[in-house]
Amino acid sequence: MQSSHAAAAVSSAFDDPNLIAYGGLEPVVRLAERCGLPALAGEHIRLPASKDGTGAFPAAKLMSLVGGMVAGADSVEDMDRLRHGAMGRLFCGVRAPSTLGSFLRSFTHGHVKQLHAVARRFLPELARHTPLLPGADQAAYVDIDDTIRRTYGYAKQGTGYGYSKVKGLNALLGIVSTPLSAPVIAATRLRKGPSNSARGAAAFVAETIRTARACGASGLLVMRADSAFYGADVINACRTLGARFSVTVRMNASVKAAIARIDEDAWTPINGGVGYWNRPNTLPAGRRERITAAPGS
């Protein structure tokens, strides 16, 4: 195939009022409505009153943002893709990109918890209406970790330099998955950039486990985390809620000394658990680690 026109003479426009570019968006919005997302947003999101009304009608603005991201938007300007063709007849309450940008900027660091409340209640409803976590009644996993998201400018609340030496915000994530499903974000917590990884981890682990249970994870549930979350409070949270755990042990002096006292022939699997003991000769020197599996181990 070869172009029949010079590049400078070619142009295209989407101007048919009866067509839309994202046909799959309508069933997604219907599903969100059946699961109560607009009602949850209207109930839990309370932003400060302002003269320009940036915090008004949070449900419509939240649904516009969700629809835009489903359609592939990754910036505020991209939200304009919701306002072409017959989109105005297919959906009501679509907001302009500038309005959505002002809405997002009206959130303070504390108001983000309102979005957590919405997500925590929405996910179990979504699991009831869709096969979100197949096999969760048999086995499921909760993975806990944090990440630094880079930010720009000087007006961002809570930014700072954390363990990655990157200026940004620290996001704590709780992910639920099963051997048959893709990972699902079950809990989030936005924190200041220099926050320690394990700060508030015990309460966060408990919240994630409860959300996973509400989503149908009624079978074996295993919490997995790296050595940043190695602590008695995190393990106790798992035990209290009947979850097993797999946590990498920090290689501090006492752990190294304990490992050194173990005979080469004494390394055995954990009976009845989903974890294992690493044999001493399977890891490089200084990297011998124990993986804990069961609440009573």
Side-chain angles (χ1 to χ4, degrees), residues 168-270:
L169 293 169
N170 184 300
L172 192 58
L173 302 174
I175 310 297
V176 179
S177 63
T178 74
L180 302 176
S181 74
V184 176
I185 297 177
T188 60
R189 186 166 295 173
L190 186 64
R191 309 182 298 175
K192 291 185 177 181
S195 296
N196 183 277
S197 295
R199 180 182 177 185
F204 185 77
V205 166
E207 176 186 331
T208 308
I209 291 175
R210 290 190 182 100
T211 301
R213 294 295 192 197
C215 291
S218 57
L220 175 67
L221 187 62
V222 183
M223 190 282 295
R224 305 184 293 194
D226 60 30
S227 59
F229 302 93
Y230 171 60
D233 54 348
V234 171
I235 302 306
N236 289 336
C238 294
R239 285 173 166 161
T240 299
L241 296 173
R244 299 195 177 193
F245 48 86
S246 174
V247 182
T248 306
V249 174
R250 294 196 190 102
M251 294 299 290
N252 53 36
S254 61
V255 170
K256 290 179 181 179
I259 292 176
R261 293 194 295 268
I262 300 175
D263 294 333
E264 292 291 324
D265 298 333
W267 294 76
T268 58
I270 299 176

Side-chain angles (χ1 to χ4, degrees), residues 87-161:
M87 286 291 233
R89 285 185 286 162
L90 189 59
F91 303 107
C92 62
V94 175
R95 298 303 195 264
S98 59
T99 300
L100 297 175
S102 298
F103 173 67
L104 291 174
R105 285 188 290 272
S106 66
F107 279 83
T108 66
H109 198 259
H111 286 106
V112 174
K113 291 184 178 180
Q114 298 175 357
L115 296 176
H116 296 173
V118 173
R120 188 168 61 249
R121 291 164 175 79
F122 172 73
L123 193 62
E125 289 298 321
L126 183 61
R128 277 189 280 272
H129 285 80
T130 65
L132 186 66
L133 293 168
D137 57 336
Q138 300 296 318
Y141 306 99
V142 166
D143 292 281
I144 305 296
D145 205 351
D146 67 337
T147 183
I148 299 293
R149 306 306 299 171
R150 184 189 294 271
T151 60
Y152 302 90
Y154 299 98
K156 300 286 186 181
Q157 291 186 341
T159 59
Y161 291 92

